[in-house]
Amino acid sequence: MEKEFTLSQMEQETDEMLRIRYLNKENAVFQRTGTGFLSLTVGEETYDRVQVVRMFPVQSTEDLLSIRTVGDKTKEIGIVEKITDVTPETAEMLREQMNLRYFMPVITKIRQIKTEYGYAYWDVDTDKGSCCFTIQMGGNGVVHLSSNRVMIVDIDENRFEIPDVEKLSHKERKKLDLFL
């Protein structure tokens, strides 16, 4: 039997959803869990596991971090406005979580791009080592982040970055022309 909501319950939930709670070193305590995740205590509330989500993932990597619950019905607990608002230890933990979530190797060299049957097969060197991946042609595989900055998303949703296409060799840019 489903529980019926009263108007006051709905108003309370709406107020909670619209409330912005800023988290900082005075009101939030982050801790590593035994399994490598983060937990958070804010006032009397403790969250056994939280996730860190960049509100503007491309432009702002360390400001406006949304701290959220984990699960099917994720909700925002609060916002770390600037990473300098928390202790250095907490900042390190938040960076670790973001590095896991937003892992994006930088492409340093394009060795080959082969197209076949609607797919492009990339063979590249990155700052994390050599890599081969596939993107679907005609899709959203190559995203322009600025006039020179490009993000490539493969068919498994892994992300790669070319910070400045102008710094690639002429031969590499020629291979990339089909996607720009």
Side-chain angles (χ1 to χ4, degrees):
M1 186 168 175
E2 286 191 33
K3 185 178 173 181
E4 288 189 34
F5 284 105
T6 65
L7 182 58
S8 64
Q9 286 174 313
M10 290 165 83
E11 287 173 345
Q12 183 180 355
E13 279 192 24
T14 302
D15 286 345
E16 281 182 30
M17 284 190 290
L18 296 176
R19 178 185 67 181
I20 296 176
R21 181 184 349 183
Y22 291 101
L23 304 174
N24 54 50
K25 58 186 153 210
E26 281 83 35
N27 66 1
V29 177
F30 289 88
Q31 294 181 322
R32 284 185 179 93
T33 67
T35 54
F37 297 108
L38 284 184
S39 67
L40 169 64
T41 301
V42 182
E44 300 295 318
E45 299 173 276
T46 297
Y47 302 90
D48 294 331
R49 183 173 167 204
V50 296
Q51 58 183 324
V52 182
V53 178
R54 292 176 180 154
M55 295 174 75
F56 299 97
V58 176
Q59 294 88 356
S60 182
T61 58
E62 293 197 341
D63 294 333
L64 296 172
L65 307 176
S66 175
I67 309 303
R68 302 177 183 178
T69 61
V70 177
D72 291 339
K73 294 187 178 185
T74 297
K75 75 172 195 165
E76 185 172 78
I77 300 163
I79 295 171
V80 175
E81 191 171 17
K82 295 179 190 237
I83 203 152
T84 55
D85 292 343
V86 296
T87 66
E89 296 80 16
T90 297
E92 181 183 327
M93 288 186 277
L94 295 175
R95 285 186 185 109
E96 286 172 4
Q97 294 298 309
M98 288 186 296
N99 287 339
L100 290 171
R101 182 179 189 92
Y102 298 101
F103 180 69
M104 185 164 50
V106 173
I107 294 175
T108 57
K109 179 179 178 89
I110 299 173
R111 288 190 265 156
Q112 182 177 13
I113 302 175
K114 181 179 157 188
T115 59
E116 191 173 73
Y117 304 112
Y119 292 93
Y121 302 91
W122 295 58
D123 183 2
V124 300
D125 289 335
T126 74
D127 61 338
K128 306 294 184 209
S130 297
C131 184
C132 294
F133 59 89
T134 305
I135 68 169
Q136 191 167 7
M137 299 287 291
N140 296 329
V142 178
V143 179
H144 296 269
L145 302 176
S146 71
S147 60
N148 290 337
R149 186 176 174 206
V150 176
M151 179 174 65
I152 295 111
V153 183
D154 73 7
I155 58 174
D156 295 320
E157 296 185 16
N158 297 307
R159 296 174 295 248
F160 301 87
E161 178 185 9
I162 301 175
D164 188 350
V165 295
E166 297 298 319
K167 290 186 178 177
L168 295 173
S169 71
H170 176 72
K171 189 176 177 181
E172 291 172 301
R173 281 197 311 270
K174 196 131 177 91
K175 294 174 187 172
L176 193 60
D177 275 348
L178 179 62
F179 305 96
L180 300 177

